Amino acid sequence: GEVTAEQTIALIEQVQKYQIGIVTLSDTIGVATPLQVQEVITKVQSKFPALKLGAHFHDTHGRALLNVWTALSFGVTRIETAGGGLGGCPFAPGAAGNLATEDLLSLLMRSGIETGIETGIDFTKYLTVVAWIRENIEPNLLSHLSKSRSYEELSFHSL
């Protein structure tokens, strides 16, 4: 269910004795909105200014990219994604998988901000791996990019 910013802060306070330096804020059922993401991030950043934040979003309601964009606008640059959008949530039957890495990379590249964020990913090689996943593991990937274009024709230069 929904976890409030105050509940998130309380959880972080409980683990502070372990000197945790990074916390990944997650929406594993894919229902968060950009305004909720903004609220949680700003409240956590206010309470724990030295804490580095990451983000993890599922795409059940198609808002994962919007939520990442919001997180990026508040300085969060550690984003967890999955090839083809694989994954799911055992607590939310029917929920969509993770945000697809290729959808995020495409957004960043098309927006001209990919060069400012070090991904370490060779996009062409990465698409080869996702094509292999589609052929050998999951033919119905959730990735928006995989539905709109073939991986064979897509490269950084054709974007």
Side-chain angles (χ1 to χ4, degrees):
E2 185 173 346
V3 177
T4 67
E6 290 71 28
Q7 290 171 302
T8 302
I9 288 169
L11 287 170
I12 295 170
E13 286 173 337
Q14 289 177 23
V15 298
Q16 283 298 293
K17 63 183 173 188
Y18 300 111
Q19 300 176 337
I20 295 190
I22 300 173
V23 168
T24 300
L25 302 171
S26 302
D27 174 26
T28 58
I29 60 174
V31 297
T33 66
L35 290 176
Q36 289 171 315
V37 171
Q38 176 184 340
E39 177 189 12
V40 171
I41 289 173
T42 57
K43 287 183 177 181
V44 169
Q45 286 175 332
S46 177
K47 179 79 174 175
F48 307 100
L51 190 64
K52 293 182 182 184
L53 297 178
H56 176 102
F57 298 105
H58 286 228
D59 207 24
T60 304
H61 291 274
R63 294 189 288 256
L65 282 173
L66 289 168
N67 290 334
V68 167
W69 193 266
T70 301
L72 289 170
S73 73
F74 286 91
V76 177
T77 58
R78 185 178 175 273
I79 308 295
E80 295 178 355
T81 60
L86 289 176
C89 180
F91 308 110
N98 296 290
L99 171 61
T101 304
E102 58 272 27
D103 289 343
L104 178 57
L105 288 173
S106 174
L107 174 68
L108 295 175
M109 289 186 294
R110 294 291 304 239
S111 299
I113 61 174
E114 178 268 340
T115 55
I117 297 174
E118 182 57 43
T119 64
I121 297 171
D122 179 317
F123 195 55
T124 303
K125 288 180 183 177
Y126 169 78
L127 291 177
T128 302
V129 172
V130 176
W132 183 91
I133 291 170
R134 183 173 58 193
E135 291 169 16
N136 296 282
I137 298 173
E138 177 54 63
N140 300 310
L141 294 177
L142 297 174
S143 160
H144 297 285
L145 195 62
S146 71
K147 293 176 184 174
S148 64
R149 301 191 59 186
S150 71
Y151 285 119
E152 294 77 25
E153 70 175 294
L154 187 63
S155 72
F156 174 76
H157 300 291
S158 67
L159 285 174

